[in-house]
Protein backbone atom coordinates (compact mmCIF):
# COMPACT_ATOMS: atom_id res chain seq x y z
CA UNK A 1 0.00 0.00 0.00
CA UNK A 2 1.44 3.37 -0.99
CA UNK A 3 2.09 5.72 1.89
CA UNK A 4 0.85 9.21 2.50
CA UNK A 5 4.44 10.46 2.31
CA UNK A 6 5.09 8.98 -1.10
CA UNK A 7 2.07 10.74 -2.57
CA UNK A 8 2.80 14.13 -1.00
CA UNK A 9 6.56 14.12 -1.53
CA UNK A 10 7.51 17.41 -3.14
CA UNK A 11 11.24 17.55 -2.56
CA UNK A 12 12.22 17.37 -6.22
CA UNK A 13 11.21 20.37 -8.29
CA UNK A 14 11.71 21.33 -11.88
CA UNK A 15 13.19 24.79 -11.52
CA UNK A 16 14.13 25.17 -15.14
CA UNK A 17 12.54 28.17 -16.88
CA UNK A 18 9.55 27.54 -19.10
CA UNK A 19 7.31 29.91 -20.98
CA UNK A 20 4.18 28.47 -19.34
CA UNK A 21 5.38 28.86 -15.75
CA UNK A 22 6.75 32.29 -16.57
CA UNK A 23 3.32 33.44 -17.75
CA UNK A 24 1.67 31.83 -14.72
CA UNK A 25 4.01 33.57 -12.28
CA UNK A 26 2.96 36.94 -13.72
CA UNK A 27 -0.68 36.42 -12.73
CA UNK A 28 -1.95 38.20 -9.64
CA UNK A 29 -1.40 36.07 -6.50
CA UNK A 30 -5.16 35.96 -5.98
CA UNK A 31 -5.66 34.41 -9.41
CA UNK A 32 -2.90 31.86 -8.84
CA UNK A 33 -4.59 30.91 -5.57
CA UNK A 34 -7.88 30.34 -7.41
CA UNK A 35 -6.05 27.99 -9.78
CA UNK A 36 -4.56 26.07 -6.83
CA UNK A 37 -7.97 25.80 -5.18
CA UNK A 38 -9.58 24.55 -8.38
CA UNK A 39 -6.93 21.89 -8.90
CA UNK A 40 -6.92 20.51 -5.38
CA UNK A 41 -10.68 20.66 -4.88
CA UNK A 42 -10.85 18.46 -7.99
CA UNK A 43 -8.30 15.98 -6.64
CA UNK A 44 -8.71 12.87 -4.53
CA UNK A 45 -6.05 10.60 -3.11
CA UNK A 46 -7.11 6.98 -2.79
CA UNK A 47 -5.92 3.97 -0.82
CA UNK A 48 -7.35 0.54 -0.10
CA UNK A 49 -8.74 -2.69 -1.49
CA UNK A 50 -11.97 -2.53 -3.47
CA UNK A 51 -14.28 -5.49 -3.91
CA UNK A 52 -14.96 -5.27 -7.64
CA UNK A 53 -16.50 -8.71 -8.20
CA UNK A 54 -18.46 -11.36 -6.39
CA UNK A 55 -15.44 -13.12 -4.86
CA UNK A 56 -12.46 -11.92 -2.77
CA UNK A 57 -10.17 -13.14 -5.55
CA UNK A 58 -11.61 -10.34 -7.72
CA UNK A 59 -10.44 -7.61 -5.33
CA UNK A 60 -8.05 -4.93 -6.53
CA UNK A 61 -6.03 -2.34 -4.65
CA UNK A 62 -7.00 1.14 -5.80
CA UNK A 63 -4.14 3.63 -5.91
CA UNK A 64 -3.86 7.27 -6.95
CA UNK A 65 -2.20 8.19 -10.19
CA UNK A 66 1.46 9.21 -9.75
CA UNK A 67 0.74 12.76 -10.92
CA UNK A 68 -2.11 13.37 -8.46
CA UNK A 69 -0.06 16.03 -6.65
CA UNK A 70 2.11 17.08 -9.59
CA UNK A 71 1.36 20.76 -9.03
CA UNK A 72 3.45 20.65 -5.87
CA UNK A 73 6.49 19.66 -7.93
CA UNK A 74 6.33 22.28 -10.70
CA UNK A 75 8.82 24.60 -9.07
CA UNK A 76 9.79 25.94 -5.67
CA UNK A 77 7.75 29.13 -6.00
CA UNK A 78 4.50 27.26 -6.59
CA UNK A 79 5.30 24.76 -3.86
CA UNK A 80 6.00 27.60 -1.44
CA UNK A 81 2.80 29.45 -2.34
CA UNK A 82 0.70 26.33 -1.85
CA UNK A 83 2.43 25.20 1.35
CA UNK A 84 0.23 22.75 3.24
CA UNK A 85 -3.04 24.39 2.19
CA UNK A 86 -3.64 21.53 -0.24
CA UNK A 87 -4.40 19.36 2.79
CA UNK A 88 -7.55 21.45 3.32
CA UNK A 89 -8.75 20.90 -0.25
CA UNK A 90 -8.12 17.38 -1.53
CA UNK A 91 -10.41 14.44 -0.79
CA UNK A 92 -8.71 11.64 1.12
CA UNK A 93 -10.57 8.58 -0.16
CA UNK A 94 -10.32 5.17 1.51
CA UNK A 95 -11.79 1.95 0.12
CA UNK A 96 -11.77 0.37 3.59
CA UNK A 97 -11.42 1.62 7.19
CA UNK A 98 -8.16 -0.32 7.61
CA UNK A 99 -6.58 1.70 4.80
CA UNK A 100 -7.72 4.88 6.54
CA UNK A 101 -6.03 3.77 9.74
CA UNK A 102 -2.87 2.67 7.89
CA UNK A 103 -2.44 6.11 6.35
CA UNK A 104 -3.77 8.51 8.97
CA UNK A 105 -2.16 6.89 12.03
CA UNK A 106 1.23 7.11 10.28
CA UNK A 107 1.29 10.90 9.87
CA UNK A 108 2.05 13.55 12.52
CA UNK A 109 -0.92 14.78 14.52
CA UNK A 110 -0.29 18.33 13.32
CA UNK A 111 -0.65 17.17 9.70
CA UNK A 112 -3.71 15.06 10.48
CA UNK A 113 -5.46 18.04 12.04
CA UNK A 114 -5.16 19.96 8.75
CA UNK A 115 -7.02 17.36 6.68
CA UNK A 116 -10.58 18.52 6.08
CA UNK A 117 -12.24 16.00 3.73
CA UNK A 118 -12.25 12.22 4.13
CA UNK A 119 -14.38 9.58 2.47
CA UNK A 120 -14.44 5.95 3.58
CA UNK A 121 -16.60 2.90 3.01
CA UNK A 122 -18.69 2.13 6.07
CA UNK A 123 -17.43 -1.38 6.67
CA UNK A 124 -16.65 -2.80 10.07
CA UNK A 125 -13.04 -3.50 11.07
CA UNK A 126 -12.40 -7.18 11.86
CA UNK A 127 -9.72 -8.06 14.40
CA UNK A 128 -8.55 -11.68 14.34
CA UNK A 129 -6.91 -13.89 16.95
CA UNK A 130 -4.27 -16.39 15.93
CA UNK A 131 -6.25 -19.31 17.28
CA UNK A 132 -8.66 -19.40 14.36
CA UNK A 133 -10.01 -17.51 11.37
CA UNK A 134 -13.49 -17.61 12.83
CA UNK A 135 -12.36 -16.02 16.07
CA UNK A 136 -12.99 -12.43 15.03
CA UNK A 137 -14.53 -9.32 16.53
CA UNK A 138 -15.98 -6.68 14.21
CA UNK A 139 -15.66 -3.03 15.24
CA UNK A 140 -17.76 -0.20 13.77
CA UNK A 141 -16.37 2.80 11.94
CA UNK A 142 -17.13 4.89 15.03
CA UNK A 143 -14.50 2.88 16.90
CA UNK A 144 -11.90 3.27 14.12
CA UNK A 145 -12.21 7.07 14.26
CA UNK A 146 -11.36 6.96 17.98
CA UNK A 147 -7.84 5.85 16.98
CA UNK A 148 -7.18 9.18 15.24
CA UNK A 149 -6.64 11.84 17.93
CA UNK A 150 -6.37 15.27 16.35
CA UNK A 151 -8.83 14.49 13.55
CA UNK A 152 -11.15 17.45 12.97
CA UNK A 153 -12.72 17.16 9.54
CA UNK A 154 -15.00 19.68 7.93
CA UNK A 155 -16.69 16.78 6.19
CA UNK A 156 -16.68 13.01 6.59
CA UNK A 157 -18.41 11.05 3.83
CA UNK A 158 -19.34 7.42 4.47
CA UNK A 159 -20.39 5.15 1.63
CA UNK A 160 -22.90 2.55 2.78
CA UNK A 161 -23.91 -0.31 0.57
CA UNK A 162 -24.25 -2.82 3.39
CA UNK A 163 -27.53 -4.53 4.13
CA UNK A 164 -30.17 -2.18 5.50
CA UNK A 165 -29.87 -3.36 9.11
CA UNK A 166 -26.10 -2.79 9.22
CA UNK A 167 -26.38 0.58 7.51
CA UNK A 168 -28.97 1.82 9.97
CA UNK A 169 -26.87 0.73 12.94
CA UNK A 170 -23.65 2.16 11.49
CA UNK A 171 -25.22 5.55 10.83
CA UNK A 172 -26.96 5.64 14.22
CA UNK A 173 -23.65 4.85 15.94
CA UNK A 174 -21.92 7.69 14.10
CA UNK A 175 -24.68 10.09 15.12
CA UNK A 176 -24.75 8.95 18.74
CA UNK A 177 -21.01 8.52 19.37
CA UNK A 178 -19.06 9.69 16.32
CA UNK A 179 -16.22 12.21 16.63
CA UNK A 180 -13.77 13.93 14.32
CA UNK A 181 -16.24 15.53 11.91
CA UNK A 182 -18.21 18.75 11.69
CA UNK A 183 -20.47 17.43 8.94
CA UNK A 184 -21.26 13.80 8.19
CA UNK A 185 -22.60 12.63 4.84
CA UNK A 186 -23.83 9.04 4.82
CA UNK A 187 -24.73 7.74 1.36
CA UNK A 188 -26.72 4.55 0.84
CA UNK A 189 -27.05 2.76 -2.48
CA UNK A 190 -30.78 2.21 -1.95
CA UNK A 191 -33.72 3.23 0.24
CA UNK A 192 -33.72 0.11 2.39
CA UNK A 193 -32.05 2.01 5.23
CA UNK A 194 -35.33 3.91 5.71
CA UNK A 195 -37.81 1.25 4.70
CA UNK A 196 -36.66 -2.01 6.25
CA UNK A 197 -37.96 -3.96 9.22
CA UNK A 198 -35.36 -5.37 11.62
CA UNK A 199 -35.67 -9.02 12.56
CA UNK A 200 -33.93 -11.52 14.78
CA UNK A 201 -32.91 -14.83 13.20
CA UNK A 202 -36.10 -16.40 14.55
CA UNK A 203 -38.19 -13.94 12.56
CA UNK A 204 -39.42 -11.80 15.43
CA UNK A 205 -38.88 -8.01 15.51
CA UNK A 206 -35.50 -7.00 16.90
CA UNK A 207 -36.43 -4.85 19.91
CA UNK A 208 -32.86 -3.86 20.70
CA UNK A 209 -32.26 -2.25 17.31
CA UNK A 210 -35.75 -1.30 16.23
CA UNK A 211 -36.22 1.20 13.44
CA UNK A 212 -37.37 4.68 14.39
CA UNK A 213 -39.00 7.27 12.17
CA UNK A 214 -36.27 9.33 10.57
CA UNK A 215 -34.76 11.79 10.62
CA UNK A 216 -36.77 12.81 13.72
CA UNK A 217 -35.03 10.19 15.88
CA UNK A 218 -31.56 11.14 14.65
CA UNK A 219 -32.32 14.81 15.34
CA UNK A 220 -33.21 13.95 18.93
CA UNK A 221 -29.91 12.10 19.26
CA UNK A 222 -27.92 15.09 17.99
CA UNK A 223 -29.74 17.54 20.25
CA UNK A 224 -29.03 15.32 23.25
CA UNK A 225 -25.32 15.58 22.34
CA UNK A 226 -25.00 19.19 21.24
CA UNK A 227 -27.85 20.83 23.17
CA UNK A 228 -31.48 21.62 22.50
CA UNK A 229 -30.66 25.18 21.48
CA UNK A 230 -27.76 24.27 19.23
CA UNK A 231 -28.12 24.56 15.49
CA UNK A 232 -27.24 20.92 14.87
CA UNK A 233 -29.30 19.33 12.12
CA UNK A 234 -30.08 16.10 10.30
CA UNK A 235 -31.48 16.19 6.77
CA UNK A 236 -32.38 13.22 4.59
CA UNK A 237 -32.27 13.44 0.80
CA UNK A 238 -33.60 10.80 -1.56
CA UNK A 239 -32.95 10.44 -5.26
CA UNK A 240 -35.96 10.99 -7.50
CA UNK A 241 -34.77 8.39 -10.02
CA UNK A 242 -33.91 4.74 -9.29
CA UNK A 243 -30.66 2.88 -9.95
CA UNK A 244 -28.69 5.95 -11.08
CA UNK A 245 -25.15 6.13 -9.71
CA UNK A 246 -24.36 9.35 -7.81
CA UNK A 247 -27.95 10.55 -8.25
CA UNK A 248 -28.42 11.62 -4.64
CA UNK A 249 -25.44 14.00 -4.66
CA UNK A 250 -26.94 15.79 -7.65
CA UNK A 251 -29.26 18.54 -6.32
CA UNK A 252 -31.30 18.40 -9.53
CA UNK A 253 -32.50 14.82 -9.07
CA UNK A 254 -33.03 14.52 -5.33
CA UNK A 255 -35.58 15.74 -2.80
CA UNK A 256 -35.80 16.19 0.95
CA UNK A 257 -37.37 13.18 2.63
CA UNK A 258 -39.12 12.91 5.99
CA UNK A 259 -40.97 9.94 7.42
CA UNK A 260 -44.33 10.98 8.82
CA UNK A 261 -45.15 10.27 12.45
CA UNK A 262 -48.12 7.88 12.72
CA UNK A 263 -51.11 8.90 14.82
CA UNK A 264 -50.87 8.06 18.53
CA UNK A 265 -47.17 7.41 18.11
CA UNK A 266 -45.57 6.01 21.25
CA UNK A 267 -42.19 4.31 21.75
CA UNK A 268 -42.16 0.74 20.45
CA UNK A 269 -45.38 1.34 18.50
CA UNK A 270 -45.61 -1.65 16.12
CA UNK A 271 -46.08 0.77 13.23
CA UNK A 272 -42.42 1.75 13.68
CA UNK A 273 -41.43 -1.89 13.21
CA UNK A 274 -43.35 -2.49 10.01
CA UNK A 275 -41.61 -1.97 6.67
CA UNK A 276 -42.56 1.07 4.64
CA UNK A 277 -44.35 -0.66 1.79
CA UNK A 278 -43.94 2.29 -0.59
CA UNK A 279 -40.24 2.49 0.19
CA UNK A 280 -39.70 -1.24 -0.26
CA UNK A 281 -41.41 -1.35 -3.66
CA UNK A 282 -38.98 -2.93 -6.18
CA UNK A 283 -38.83 0.36 -8.09
CA UNK A 284 -38.70 2.73 -5.11
CA UNK A 285 -36.07 0.85 -3.11
CA UNK A 286 -33.49 1.42 -5.86
CA UNK A 287 -33.33 5.15 -5.11
CA UNK A 288 -30.16 6.29 -3.33
CA UNK A 289 -30.33 8.04 0.05
CA UNK A 290 -28.09 10.76 1.51
CA UNK A 291 -28.20 11.68 5.21
CA UNK A 292 -26.46 14.95 6.10
CA UNK A 293 -25.66 15.48 9.79
CA UNK A 294 -24.25 18.79 11.05
CA UNK A 295 -22.82 19.34 14.51
CA UNK A 296 -23.89 22.36 16.54
CA UNK A 297 -22.06 25.68 16.36
CA UNK A 298 -19.13 25.84 18.77
CA UNK A 299 -19.14 22.10 19.54
CA UNK A 300 -15.67 20.59 20.02
CA UNK A 301 -15.76 17.65 17.61
CA UNK A 302 -12.01 16.90 17.49
CA UNK A 303 -10.99 13.37 18.44
CA UNK A 304 -9.12 13.48 21.76
CA UNK A 305 -6.56 11.09 23.21
CA UNK A 306 -8.94 10.38 26.07
CA UNK A 307 -12.20 10.57 24.10
CA UNK A 308 -15.09 8.63 25.70
CA UNK A 309 -15.21 4.97 24.83
CA UNK A 310 -17.81 3.83 22.33
CA UNK A 311 -20.10 0.94 23.17
CA UNK A 312 -17.88 -1.36 21.10
CA UNK A 313 -14.44 0.26 21.21
CA UNK A 314 -11.31 -1.13 19.56
CA UNK A 315 -9.10 0.54 22.15
CA UNK A 316 -10.18 -2.01 24.74
CA UNK A 317 -8.83 -4.82 22.55
CA UNK A 318 -5.59 -2.96 21.74
CA UNK A 319 -4.80 -2.54 25.46
CA UNK A 320 -2.51 0.42 24.94
CA UNK A 321 -0.92 -0.69 21.67
CA UNK A 322 -0.96 1.33 18.47
CA UNK A 323 -2.65 0.37 15.20
CA UNK A 324 0.74 -0.23 13.57
CA UNK A 325 1.54 -2.79 16.27
CA UNK A 326 -1.36 -5.04 15.28
CA UNK A 327 -1.35 -4.53 11.51
CA UNK A 328 0.10 -7.58 9.72
CA UNK A 329 0.73 -8.02 6.00
CA UNK A 330 -0.69 -11.54 6.12
CA UNK A 331 -2.78 -13.71 8.41
CA UNK A 332 0.23 -16.03 8.71
CA UNK A 333 2.28 -13.22 10.27
CA UNK A 334 -0.01 -13.01 13.29
CA UNK A 335 1.95 -13.91 16.45
CA UNK A 336 0.67 -16.66 18.70
CA UNK A 337 -0.38 -14.25 21.42
CA UNK A 338 -3.57 -13.42 23.23
CA UNK A 339 -4.08 -10.24 21.22
CA UNK A 340 -6.26 -9.49 18.19
CA UNK A 341 -4.62 -8.45 14.94
CA UNK A 342 -5.60 -6.96 11.60
CA UNK A 343 -4.09 -8.27 8.39
CA UNK A 344 -4.03 -7.02 4.82
CA UNK A 345 -5.46 -9.07 1.98
CA UNK A 346 -6.78 -12.61 2.32
CA UNK A 347 -4.30 -15.41 3.06
CA UNK A 348 -1.53 -14.11 0.84
CA UNK A 349 -3.65 -13.95 -2.29
CA UNK A 350 -2.24 -11.79 -5.06
CA UNK A 351 -4.05 -8.46 -5.25
CA UNK A 352 -3.50 -6.37 -8.37
CA UNK A 353 -3.18 -2.59 -8.40
CA UNK A 354 -5.56 -0.37 -10.32
CA UNK A 355 -5.41 3.39 -10.75
CA UNK A 356 -8.28 5.43 -9.35
CA UNK A 357 -10.18 6.85 -12.34
CA UNK A 358 -12.83 9.52 -11.87
CA UNK A 359 -14.36 12.53 -13.56
CA UNK A 360 -15.41 14.35 -10.40
CA UNK A 361 -13.64 13.79 -7.07
CA UNK A 362 -17.03 13.24 -5.40
CA UNK A 363 -18.02 10.43 -7.80
CA UNK A 364 -18.31 6.95 -6.31
CA UNK A 365 -19.04 3.36 -7.29
CA UNK A 366 -20.85 0.68 -5.30
CA UNK A 367 -18.87 -2.44 -4.49
CA UNK A 368 -19.14 -5.79 -2.78
CA UNK A 369 -18.67 -5.51 0.96
CA UNK A 370 -16.78 -8.04 3.01
Amino acid sequence: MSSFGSQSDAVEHDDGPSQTTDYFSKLFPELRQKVYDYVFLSTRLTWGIRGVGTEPSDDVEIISKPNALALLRVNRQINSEIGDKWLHKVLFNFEEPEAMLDVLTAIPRDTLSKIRHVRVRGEQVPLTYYEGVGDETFYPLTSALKLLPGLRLDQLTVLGGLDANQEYRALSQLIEEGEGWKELRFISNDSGILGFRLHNPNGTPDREFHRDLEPAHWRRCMKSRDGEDSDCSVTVYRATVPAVLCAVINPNIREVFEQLVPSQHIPMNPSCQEPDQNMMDPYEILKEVLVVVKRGEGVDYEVKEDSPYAALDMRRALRGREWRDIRMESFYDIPQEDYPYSYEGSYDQLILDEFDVYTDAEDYVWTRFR
Side-chain angles (χ1 to χ4, degrees), residues 96-128:
E96 50 184 343
E98 294 94 326
M100 178 184 72
L101 292 174
D102 289 341
V103 173
L104 299 187
T105 60
I107 63 178
R109 179 169 178 167
D110 179 61
T111 302
L112 176 65
S113 66
K114 295 173 183 175
I115 295 174
R116 291 291 176 264
H117 304 280
V118 164
R119 187 174 74 187
V120 62
R121 296 194 185 272
E123 300 177 342
Q124 295 176 313
V125 179
L127 295 188
T128 305

Side-chain angles (χ1 to χ4, degrees), residues 248-262:
V248 80
I249 62 174
N250 182 345
N252 297 319
I253 49 175
R254 74 181 185 195
E255 59 188 4
V256 175
F257 176 84
E258 186 110 17
Q259 288 180 313
L260 299 178
V261 178

Side-chain angles (χ1 to χ4, degrees), residues 123-336:
E123 300 177 342
Q124 295 176 313
V125 179
L127 295 188
T128 305
Y129 287 85
Y130 178 83
E131 284 74 10
V133 180
D135 189 9
E136 293 182 318
T137 302
F138 291 83
Y139 293 90
L141 181 59
T142 305
S143 175
L145 294 172
K146 300 276 189 179
L147 300 183
L148 299 172
L151 187 70
R152 48 192 309 271
L153 304 173
D154 285 346
Q155 187 178 89
L156 169 65
T157 301
V158 178
L159 296 179
L162 300 79
D163 70 79
N165 293 11
Q166 292 184 48
E167 280 195 330
Y168 187 82
R169 295 179 191 185
L171 175 53
S172 295
Q173 288 166 337
L174 285 165
I175 291 174
E176 294 167 2
E177 305 177 301
E179 296 178 325
W181 46 268
K182 184 176 182 181
E183 177 178 307
L184 168 67
R185 300 196 313 165
F186 193 102
I187 305 174
S188 174
N189 65 325
D190 63 36
S191 297
I193 188 174
L194 298 173
F196 70 95
R197 178 183 183 180
L198 283 167
H199 283 81
N200 283 323
N202 62 8
T204 61
D206 187 329
R207 297 300 180 180
E208 182 180 359
F209 294 104
H210 69 279
R211 172 176 61 85
D212 282 289
L213 297 169
E214 304 298 358
H217 161 251
W218 289 325
R219 288 179 184 140
R220 292 194 299 270
C221 291
M222 284 310 306
K223 286 185 178 296
S224 69
R225 293 188 68 184
D226 294 353
E228 286 291 335
D229 297 328
S230 71
D231 57 350
C232 61
S233 65
V234 181
T235 306
V236 176
Y237 298 94
R238 189 163 174 254
T240 57
V241 292
V244 175
L245 191 63
C246 302
V248 80
I249 62 174
N250 182 345
N252 297 319
I253 49 175
R254 74 181 185 195
E255 59 188 4
V256 175
F257 176 84
E258 186 110 17
Q259 288 180 313
L260 299 178
V261 178
S263 60
Q264 298 179 338
H265 172 68
I266 58 174
M268 304 308 296
N269 187 323
S271 62
C272 294
Q273 304 296 323
E274 295 299 326
D276 186 323
Q277 297 298 341
N278 292 329
M279 192 80 67
M280 300 301 283
D281 176 86
Y283 178 87
E284 293 295 325
I285 197 174
L286 296 178
K287 295 179 178 179
E288 293 181 338
V289 168
L290 165 65
V291 181
V292 179
V293 185
K294 296 182 180 181
R295 300 298 305 269
E297 189 68 28
V299 170
D300 184 4
Y301 52 87
E302 180 179 323
V303 178
K304 301 293 194 298
E305 290 277 2
D306 58 348
S307 62
Y309 275 63
L312 186 59
D313 201 302
M314 205 183 310
R315 291 174 295 177
R316 293 190 180 95
L318 267 58
R319 286 181 267 177
R321 295 182 302 166
E322 302 292 335
W323 173 255
R324 63 176 178 272
D325 299 328
I326 70 164
R327 187 66 160 149
M328 300 291 137
E329 292 186 1
S330 165
F331 172 79
Y332 299 108
D333 294 331
I334 295 179
Q336 299 184 44

